[in-house]
Amino acid sequence: WGGGAASMAAPRASSPHSRRLRAESGEVAAERDVVLSAVTCNGLALEFAAVELQSDREVVLAAVRQNWRALAFAAEDLTADREVALCAVGQDWHALQFLPQALRGDREVVNQALRQDWQSFAHAPTELKADRAAVLEAVRQDWRALAFAEPELKADREIVLATVKQSGYALLHAAPSLRADREVVLEAMKQDWSALEFAALELRSDRKVIMTAVQQHGRALDYASAELRADRQIVSVAIAQDWRALEYAAPELKADHEIVLQAVQQDAFALLHAAQALRTDRKFVLAAVRLNKCVLQIAAQDFLGDRAFVLEAANLNGYALQYAAPGLKADREIVLAAVHCNGDALQYAAQEFKADREIVMAAVQQHGGALQYASQEVKADRHIVLASVAQIRNSLGSSGGQGNERRGGAERVHPECSI
C-alpha cells in the first residue's frame, strides 16, 4: 500500500512452502502439487513457481484467491482471464486498475468492484463511463460514482434524479442545465437542504425552492437571492426553524421589531444580528427582555446602569436583576420589583437584601424555592418558611405536580443564558 492506493508490489512470500520454492532448485518449483500447496497457503509464492505453472490456470486461480496481488506473477494471458479477474476484484477492488483494458470495461467485473467502493469506477474505461446503463447501475450502487461519468451523462435527467434521491450533495456533479432544473433541485433538497448551494443562481430567486429550503433549515436563507432575503414570510419561516437565519435577512428585516423579537425569543444572541438602531432602542430592548432576560447580557451597557430602565426591566422579567449594575442590585425598589416578578431573582440581589424579611417574604410568596437564597437567619424564620412551603404546595397542586406554572407573566424555572 502507498499513498492510500493499492499497489501490486508486496512483501515476498514467507510461508514454509514458499520459502522452499524460493530456496530449492527449479525442479521443485516445477512440481505442480508443491506449487499448488504453496500458493494455497500464500498466493505470493507464485513468484517463485516455474514459468509453465505461472501459466497454469488452476494454480493462478488458487494463488489469486489467497492474495489478489499474485496477479502480478501470473502469465499475461491469465491476467486477461475473466474468471481470474473476477476472483481478484472480488477480493479487493484495487485489482481493477491492474487488469487489461478489455476487462476493466467488463460490466460484471466493474460491478464487482463497485459493490466494494464507488471510487473503483474511476478505473473503468471511458467507453464504460459513457455507457448510460453502466453509469445508471453505478450510481444506484453509490451516488458518488456520478463524479466519474462522462459529461453527457451528467446531463442525463434520469441518471441525475436517481443520484440526488440518494444524496442531495450529488447535485454538485450534475451538469449546469440540471442544476437549473427545479424538479431536480427540489428532489436534491429533500435529501439535504444544503444542495441549494449547487443550484443555479436563477433558482435561488425561486420562491418555492427557497421556501422549501428554509422549512428544512433556517440557515438555507444564506443561499437565497437578495429579493427573497427581504421577503418577510420567508424570513419568518427561516427564523422559526433556526434563529440564526436572522443573520442572512435583508437589512430592513433586521430592523423589523416583530422579526427580531421572534429570533430573540429563541436565543438572546440573535440580538447581535439586529440593526444597531434596535439594539439601542429602549422600548425595543425592554420588549425583548420580557421574552428573554439574557438580552441584557448583550444589550448596550448604558442600559444596565440606568435606574429607570432596570426598574422597568425588573418589573417585566425579574431575572433582569442579574445584569444590573452592582449599585442597582442594592436598590431596594428594584430588588422588590424583581422578586415580585420572579422569586428566584433573590439570588442576584445585594447580600443585605437576602437578610431582609420583607424582600425574602415577597420572593418565597412568588416562588417557594427562593428560600435557598436567603440568609441563614431568615431561613430560620417560621413565617417565611411556612410561606415558602405553602407556595410550593399550591404550585404543585395547581400544575399537576410539575411546579412550573406562570405567575405575573414570568416563568418560575428559567434556563441559564448560554452566551
Side-chain angles (χ1 to χ4, degrees), residues 15-18 20-21 31-43 45 59 62-63 66:
S15 70
H17 292 286
S18 60
R20 184 183 174 198
L21 281 182
E31 289 181 17
R32 194 172 187 276
D33 290 345
V34 173
V35 172
L36 257 178
S37 179
V39 299
T40 301
C41 293
N42 189 329
V59 170
Q66 203 286 321

Side-chain angles (χ1 to χ4, degrees), residues 265 290-291 316-319 341-344 366-367 403-415:
Q265 187 168 14
R290 180 190 289 274
L291 296 174
L316 294 171
N317 189 328
Y319 299 124
C341 188
N342 304 87
D344 281 342
Q366 201 284 325
H367 185 216
N404 64 343
E405 82 286 7
R406 293 176 179 270
R407 179 174 176 179
E411 270 192 62
R412 283 293 166 79
V413 180
H414 67 289

Side-chain angles (χ1 to χ4, degrees), residues 18-308:
S18 60
R19 284 199 297 271
R20 184 183 174 198
L21 281 182
R22 185 169 54 194
E24 297 288 348
S25 66
E27 186 179 331
V28 172
E31 289 181 17
R32 194 172 187 276
D33 290 345
V34 173
V35 172
L36 257 178
S37 179
V39 299
T40 301
C41 293
N42 189 329
L44 298 179
L46 186 63
E47 178 184 2
F48 309 110
V51 173
E52 61 268 25
L53 291 179
Q54 291 178 340
S55 298
D56 185 305
R57 194 168 185 275
E58 184 184 354
V59 170
V60 170
L61 272 171
V64 170
R65 283 193 189 100
Q66 203 286 321
N67 190 324
W68 70 270
R69 291 184 178 85
L71 199 61
F73 310 119
E76 189 175 343
D77 61 323
L78 287 179
T79 62
D81 183 291
R82 193 167 185 272
E83 187 180 350
V84 171
L86 281 168
C87 181
V89 172
Q91 271 195 58
D92 193 308
W93 69 266
H94 289 96
L96 182 66
Q97 63 191 297
F98 303 111
L99 297 179
Q101 187 76 0
L103 284 174
R104 279 191 275 139
D106 184 299
R107 284 191 194 175
E108 188 180 350
V109 172
V110 172
N111 284 335
Q112 179 91 289
L114 276 170
R115 279 191 282 274
Q116 296 175 51
D117 196 303
W118 64 275
Q119 295 180 83
S120 60
F121 201 53
H123 302 296
T126 302
E127 55 266 29
L128 201 62
K129 294 175 182 177
D131 184 297
R132 191 175 186 278
V135 171
L136 196 53
E137 192 168 354
V139 299
R140 280 175 178 157
Q141 290 198 46
D142 195 302
W143 65 269
R144 290 170 290 188
L146 183 63
F148 302 118
E150 288 298 290
E152 61 268 25
L153 293 181
K154 291 181 178 181
D156 184 300
R157 202 166 186 275
E158 184 186 353
I159 288 175
V160 172
L161 271 173
T163 309
V164 299
K165 282 178 181 179
Q166 290 185 56
S167 172
Y169 201 78
L171 192 63
L172 168 66
H173 303 302
S177 60
L178 291 179
R179 292 191 193 192
D181 184 306
R182 194 189 209 210
E183 183 187 347
V184 170
V185 171
L186 284 171
E187 193 63 50
M189 284 166 45
K190 284 180 185 177
Q191 302 301 320
D192 190 336
W193 67 270
S194 63
L196 185 58
E197 178 183 357
F198 309 116
L201 288 176
E202 57 263 37
L203 287 183
R204 298 188 186 193
S205 299
D206 185 305
R207 199 171 190 280
K208 181 180 179 182
V209 169
I210 297 301
M211 182 62 85
T212 301
V214 299
Q215 284 171 340
Q216 286 189 58
H217 202 296
R219 282 185 285 176
L221 188 64
D222 186 23
Y223 300 116
S225 65
E227 179 187 358
L228 293 180
R229 289 186 190 205
D231 183 305
R232 203 168 188 282
Q233 185 184 5
I234 284 177
V235 172
S236 179
V237 168
I239 288 172
Q241 208 287 322
D242 190 326
W243 63 269
R244 288 167 289 195
L246 182 62
E247 179 181 356
Y248 310 114
E252 58 267 32
L253 290 181
K254 290 182 177 183
D256 183 298
H257 284 223
E258 188 177 339
I259 290 288
V260 176
L261 285 176
Q262 181 188 359
V264 166
Q265 187 168 14
Q266 291 184 51
D267 196 299
F269 194 72
L271 189 63
L272 290 179
H273 301 306
Q276 183 64 26
L278 283 188
R279 293 168 62 185
T280 55
D281 183 305
R282 181 191 184 97
K283 184 177 179 182
F284 174 79
V285 174
L286 283 170
V289 168
R290 180 190 289 274
L291 296 174
N292 192 332
K293 60 114 176 181
C294 297
V295 163
L296 287 177
Q297 190 173 1
I298 52 177
Q301 289 299 305
D302 290 348
F303 288 138
L304 305 183
D306 182 322
R307 186 181 186 280

